[in-house]
Amino acid sequence: DGAATAGAQAAVPAVAAPARLIDESRDAVDPWQALLDAGAVRNLRLSPEDVNRVFRESGRQDAAERGQEAAEDALFIDLYVALASVPSIGRSLLGDAEWQRLKERLKPGQQAILVAGNGAYSFKGSGYVRGGIFDRIEIIQDEGSFRFRDRNHQRLADVVAQGAPALREVALFVVPEDAAFDPVKPWRLQLMVQRVLSVSDKAFVTFDLPYELPARYTRATTTASPTASPLASPDAPAAVAPRDEAPPALWRQIWRGKAVQVAILTTALLVLVGIFFFQDQLTSRPLLHDRLRLAFLAFALFWIGWYGQAQLSIVNVLTFFSALRTDFRWDYFLMDPLVFILWCATAISMVFWNRGAFCGWLCPFGALQELANRVARRLGLRQVTVRHGVNQRLSTLKYVIFLVLFGFSLYDLALAERLAEVEPFKTAIILRFLRDWPFVVFAVALVAAGLFIERFFCRYLCPLGAALAIPARLRIFNWLRRYRDCGNPCQRCNHECPVQAIEPTGEINPNECIQCLHCQMLYHHKQKCPHLIQKYGKRERRRAADSEPAVQEVVLHRAPRPNAPAPSEP
């Protein structure tokens, strides 16, 4: 009867919807309007009044009034988003050539998202400057979310789909490898709109642009449920899988995904600690010291920098102090494991070796300068010797640059981030010189200057080096050994220090020292250190004198003859 039928239906679990995958066989090219109509491209259009209304609804009337000067019919932002890794959508938006390059770039299962926009408000913002995060947009799916970094970003000139409007900003983002993202499940792009009311007061609201891949671009799978009973009837509906537990925090997922990289960097840091703790044994073997330093610099440039993208920057310092004044959250800094570990290691090492552990051994751009200078020396390029007084005055420039950036960050962090382009780190390390030509010319010019003056940028212009040097006087230990003769009269270490961190009087300036240990190699070198040459010379002369046989004077006395006639008297 009906009641029995209803009870039976209630006892039967709901049939789970079949899982779907992207249909790779569908790659037809569609015009822009067809993509919009199908939902392959989604749009969010906001006017200034729309934004002001949301600020008022959130209780921030002051922030809404800040935007009243805009015309009511003006365009705040016209935002578009699409899943560009789907063959048909990607070919339509990117064109065949760019689509092929994207396919070669993507790893199996990796996705790409196209974001484009018009209007007064930029979805990019300025947080991505020098390898930072695009802080105005966030991808959210279920309980997880992720942001894009500069290394995930590719700027496009336009969208090639037929009938597409002229767009001021077009960006292609590759989903990070460690992000949990299912292209078939619904997700949303969240746009953050922020208004700065004062140095310490900022207001922001968010707008969601939902996206779900249309069914026409997917196909059903035939994979059986792994939990189905082998004795179940083939006509019985599949059991619904139990709901998964909430995934761990995003930063925990990122750390698990980069466990191997974390282990490699941790091992390298332990090796560096060993180098410093056993520096006497190492520097007493000049060839071993030179080869080990060369290998570590290559590791810093190629693995930490160009592969791991873990170049520290002054913007990290400015962002940290800004977060302390506003809304400090550890999970924000934990999003990049390698950068977080390097910062922790740098902070700890300053107690022992001031800024030298990072600047002299772990900085990828510093390694690039030193390695390039080594090549220049091998090729016979003449090095420029900067007089001590001139070097001292030039070295103060980096402190001035740091203080200017720090002052601007207290007023407008975004402006300070743009001014921080004085650092070539983003161009040379993060983007590997693949950038607009003015930035490339600037970075190449600094590297070229370093061919004639070793570590030119580090010595005179680096604001990060200045920020790390300021607390150098607070270090507890001094590991660098000196002789009484150093500086008076011996000047060899002063003349050979790569960054001129040794005063003519013999003292080592901790603000400028990069702990390269070259002076310690000279300290132990019996053929280069004048003090040791004199010391061992005296020892050898004393030893030679002790080894010669003593000379004894022999006096011969003539014995008188008994039969000899007595001498006649006059």
Side-chain angles (χ1 to χ4, degrees):
D1 57 353
T5 303
Q9 290 177 349
V12 176
V15 178
R20 303 189 67 84
L21 298 174
I22 294 176
D23 188 357
E24 302 288 345
S25 63
R26 177 185 172 86
D27 60 354
V29 175
D30 296 321
W32 177 259
Q33 191 59 45
L35 294 171
L36 283 174
D37 295 339
V41 177
R42 301 294 175 95
N43 174 235
L44 173 66
R45 187 180 180 90
L46 298 172
S47 68
E49 176 55 30
D50 294 329
V51 178
N52 294 335
R53 184 179 65 255
V54 176
F55 271 114
R56 287 193 294 268
E57 292 173 354
S58 66
R60 295 306 302 263
Q61 180 66 31
D62 50 353
E65 293 174 353
R66 179 61 63 91
Q68 288 292 348
E69 66 276 5
E72 297 300 324
D73 58 347
L75 177 62
F76 183 80
I77 190 171
D78 190 17
L79 188 65
Y80 297 90
V81 65
L83 193 60
S85 49
V86 177
S88 180
I89 301 175
R91 285 192 64 206
S92 302
L93 297 175
L94 305 177
D96 289 333
E98 193 63 48
W99 165 245
Q100 289 299 325
R101 282 193 289 269
L102 176 61
K103 283 189 6 179
E104 295 172 359
R105 179 183 176 188
L106 295 178
K107 297 183 178 179
Q110 194 173 25
Q111 307 301 322
I113 298 174
L114 183 138
V115 184
N118 276 330
Y121 191 72
S122 167
F123 67 83
K124 290 184 178 181
S126 60
Y128 70 98
V129 176
R130 285 162 344 353
I133 296 178
F134 287 82
D135 56 353
R136 293 187 176 181
I137 56 175
E138 183 175 10
I139 303 299
I140 302 174
Q141 187 176 64
D142 296 333
E143 292 84 1
S145 65
F146 61 88
R147 298 181 189 270
F148 297 111
R149 299 188 67 89
D150 202 353
R151 59 176 175 266
N152 311 126
H153 166 252
Q154 178 185 349
R155 185 175 64 85
L156 300 178
D158 53 18
V159 172
V160 302
Q162 180 183 358
L167 297 166
R168 185 169 65 92
E169 290 181 324
V170 183
L172 183 63
F173 295 103
V174 174
V175 175
E177 297 178 50
D178 46 28
F181 181 73
D182 186 344
V184 179
K185 295 176 61 177
W187 53 274
R188 69 184 189 272
L189 182 146
Q190 187 174 84
L191 174 70
M192 180 184 71
V193 178
Q194 178 176 277
R195 286 177 178 169
V196 180
L197 305 177
S198 65
V199 175
S200 59
D201 187 14
K202 299 177 182 178
F204 67 89
V205 292
T206 59
F207 298 87
D208 287 343
L209 175 52
Y211 190 95
E212 183 174 3
L213 186 64
R216 62 189 292 186
Y217 299 102
T218 66
R219 60 179 177 84
T221 62
T222 57
T223 305
S225 172
T227 58
S229 171
L231 302 179
S233 169
D235 297 327
V240 177
R243 182 177 179 85
D244 295 336
E245 296 181 359
L250 179 59
W251 70 267
R252 295 180 184 273
Q253 300 178 40
I254 295 175
W255 279 71
R256 290 174 184 174
K258 293 189 175 183
V260 175
Q261 297 181 22
V262 169
I264 292 175
L265 181 58
T266 303
T267 302
L269 292 175
L270 292 176
V271 171
L272 184 58
V273 171
I275 289 174
F276 285 138
F277 269 93
F278 299 99
Q279 65 182 35
D280 288 336
Q281 291 78 4
L282 175 63
T283 54
S284 61
R285 298 168 174 81
L287 183 61
L288 176 61
H289 165 255
D290 183 71
R291 295 294 181 266
L292 185 58
R293 177 162 177 78
L294 182 64
F296 211 98
L297 291 174
F299 172 80
L301 174 60
F302 292 100
W303 195 89
I304 295 179
W306 285 338
Y307 172 76
Q309 304 278 281
Q311 171 72 65
L312 302 188
S313 166
I314 187 61
V315 174
N316 301 126
V317 178
L318 302 180
T319 304
F320 179 77
F321 281 104
S322 177
L324 289 179
R325 294 184 296 107
T326 54
D327 53 345
F328 181 84
R329 292 173 53 191
W330 275 112
D331 54 349
Y332 177 81
F333 295 94
L334 289 167
M335 287 297 182
D336 196 323
L338 301 186
V339 170
F340 182 81
I341 292 173
L342 278 177
W343 269 121
C344 292
T346 300
I348 296 172
S349 67
M350 291 174 65
V351 178
F352 296 87
W353 305 288
N354 56 66
R355 71 185 183 103
F358 173 75
C359 294
W361 295 80
L362 295 171
C363 177
F365 189 76
L368 173 62
Q369 292 181 95
E370 185 165 335
L371 293 174
N373 183 266
R374 284 189 176 226
V375 174
R377 289 174 183 267
R378 287 292 183 92
L379 296 177
L381 267 67
R382 184 176 180 180
Q383 300 297 296
V384 177
T385 302
V386 183
R387 289 185 299 172
H388 176 70
V390 176
N391 178 74
Q392 275 192 320
R393 288 167 176 79
L394 289 177
S395 64
T396 60
L397 289 176
K398 60 179 177 285
Y399 297 97
V400 175
I401 295 172
F402 165 68
L403 292 175
V404 169
L405 293 176
F406 186 76
F408 274 106
S409 72
L410 298 177
Y411 172 73
D412 187 348
L413 180 61
L415 176 59
E417 289 173 345
R418 291 193 293 271
L419 295 176
E421 285 287 359
V422 69
E423 289 180 330
F425 302 160
K426 177 181 178 181
T427 302
I429 303 301
I430 303 299
L431 300 179
R432 305 183 189 94
F433 295 99
L434 300 176
R435 204 179 181 194
D436 294 338
W437 70 266
F439 298 99
V440 175
V441 169
F442 177 66
V444 171
L446 292 177
V447 176
L451 300 179
F452 303 93
I453 301 177
E454 186 169 346
R455 287 181 175 258
F456 174 85
F457 177 78
C458 297
R459 293 164 66 173
Y460 304 131
L461 300 176
C462 182
L464 177 60
L468 298 179
I470 289 176
R473 300 287 181 180
L474 301 178
R475 77 189 193 283
I476 299 176
F477 304 98
N478 185 9
W479 301 75
L480 302 180
R481 303 171 64 181
R482 312 294 288 151
Y483 293 115
R484 291 183 178 179
D485 298 344
C486 294
N488 185 22
C490 179
Q491 295 291 321
R492 178 147 197 170
C493 290
N494 173 28
H495 293 155
E496 292 195 17
C497 178
V499 293
Q500 293 182 249
I502 300 179
E503 305 287 344
T505 54
E507 293 87 1
I508 297 176
N509 184 352
N511 293 340
E512 305 301 322
C513 177
I514 61 171
Q515 295 286 333
C516 65
L517 303 181
H518 181 77
C519 62
Q520 300 305 287
M521 182 274 294
L522 295 176
Y523 180 92
H524 294 284
H525 206 296
K526 298 179 182 179
Q527 284 78 42
K528 292 185 177 182
C529 178
H531 175 83
L532 293 183
I533 293 174
Q534 183 179 15
K535 175 182 176 180
Y536 285 101
K538 290 181 179 179
R539 183 178 299 177
E540 290 297 326
R541 289 193 295 271
R542 190 182 306 115
R543 188 175 300 169
D546 293 341
S547 62
E548 293 181 1
V551 180
Q552 297 182 356
E553 183 179 356
V554 179
V555 179
L556 299 178
H557 297 279
R558 193 171 183 179
R561 291 181 295 173
N563 298 327
S568 58
E569 297 198 11

